Amino acid sequence: GENVEQHPSTLSVQEGDSAVIKCTYSDSASNYFPWYKQELGKGPQLIIDIRSNVGEKKDQRIAVTLNKTAKHFSLHITETQPEDSAVYFCAASLGNNNDMRFGAGTRLTVKP
Amino acid sequence: DVKVTQSSRYLVKRTGEKVFLECVQDMDHENMFWYRQDPGLGLRLIYFSYDVKMKEKGDIPEGYSVSREKKERFSLILESASTNQTSMYLCASSLSGGYTFGSGTRLTVV
């Protein structure tokens, strides 16, 4: 089955700096790659996703890139703010929606 | 706003008890999922269901069962709770694409 690895496990940045989180996946048939943000005491929330027919997607300060050949994808957060502090999870799916597998998570801390 | 509701935020149960974790969604989603979340291990899929009365095992189904009698409700059952089932349990639902998660149930088995 699919195996997703996520790095780093913790990341600390200064407010205003950029943060990058990287994931690799094992199943070349995977074609849907969402990212989730989990704040303290809450369930994960979808923040951005990308499908295998595109290489990059942006939404304001957040962007995701996908390299299908290398089987890796990354989350980029620019101009970080303290409210970006949370645990971020990447995931990969074959697209039939019943098989999503998650990375182990990255705890991002943005220091004011 | 779409919603996935888990009935309990915190539960403390004794070893050997039968435990029910309830999850309800109001989005008419076909697919529902149960994950457990442990530090350093991320989210691991226990069971999922893509239709009423249908269920499929995920990656770690041992010690768990599920019930889906109605489309909106998906229950996770711990037949005989053990201390290694102490964890955060997350329910999710989806139609296609991204999942909507509940807020989680933190279960402690003593």
Side-chain angles (χ1 to χ4, degrees):
Chain A
E2 176 64 275
N3 182 46
V4 179
E5 295 193 357
Q6 182 172 347
H7 301 280
S9 57
T10 61
L11 179 60
S12 182
V13 299
Q14 208 65 39
E15 182 177 0
D17 287 351
S18 294
V20 180
I21 302 170
K22 298 183 179 182
C23 289
T24 60
Y25 61 98
S26 60
D27 192 337
S28 57
S30 289
N31 58 16
Y32 176 65
F33 308 92
W35 285 88
Y36 291 83
K37 176 184 181 183
Q38 186 177 27
E39 296 174 320
L40 202 61
K42 297 183 180 179
Q45 280 197 300
L46 179 69
I47 55 172
I48 195 167
D49 56 12
I50 191 168
R51 296 189 184 272
S52 59
N53 56 347
V54 297
E56 183 176 1
K57 185 176 178 181
K58 281 185 179 178
D59 183 4
Q60 299 182 344
R61 296 186 297 108
I62 293 173
V64 57
T65 58
L66 170 65
N67 183 329
K68 282 223 75 174
T69 304
K71 289 189 282 187
H72 67 70
F73 57 113
S74 301
L75 178 71
H76 305 253
I77 307 174
T78 58
E79 300 171 26
T80 53
Q81 301 166 4
E83 50 265 39
D84 294 329
S85 295
V87 178
Y88 291 81
F89 292 96
C90 63
S93 167
L94 291 171
N96 63 8
N97 211 39
N98 294 333
D99 60 353
M100 197 171 297
R101 297 297 186 272
F102 289 80
T106 296
R107 182 172 298 280
L108 173 66
T109 303
V110 180
K111 294 180 284 189
Chain B
D1 227 5
V2 296
K3 222 171 183 181
V4 176
T5 303
Q6 293 183 233
S7 54
S8 305
R9 290 299 303 272
Y10 300 95
L11 273 180
V12 180
K13 296 292 181 180
R14 294 191 182 278
T15 301
E17 272 193 82
K18 190 168 186 176
V19 181
F20 293 85
L21 302 184
E22 305 288 345
C23 175
V24 177
Q25 51 100 357
D26 64 1
M27 298 163 282
D28 202 34
H29 283 172
E30 308 277 323
N31 308 306
M32 297 188 75
F33 310 85
W34 276 105
Y35 287 85
R36 63 177 282 177
Q37 180 178 11
D38 300 289
L41 297 177
L43 282 68
R44 292 180 293 165
L45 181 63
I46 305 172
Y47 266 96
F48 63 94
S49 168
Y50 51 85
D51 202 353
V52 176
K53 296 195 186 293
M54 304 299 287
K55 60 184 179 184
E56 295 285 345
K57 291 180 180 179
D59 297 326
I60 52 163
E62 295 78 21
Y64 303 95
S65 63
V66 290
S67 172
R68 190 151 181 216
E69 296 297 318
K70 294 184 178 180
K71 191 175 186 181
E72 66 270 20
R73 186 180 297 268
F74 192 35
S75 304
L76 180 68
I77 304 157
L78 286 66
E79 296 291 341
S80 176
S82 63
T83 54
N84 63 13
Q85 292 178 309
T86 292
S87 187
M88 170 70 85
Y89 289 88
L90 289 164
C91 175
S93 74
S94 74
L95 192 58
S96 64
Y99 292 3
T100 301
F101 282 91
S103 295
T105 296
R106 184 164 292 283
L107 173 67
T108 302
V109 182
V110 298

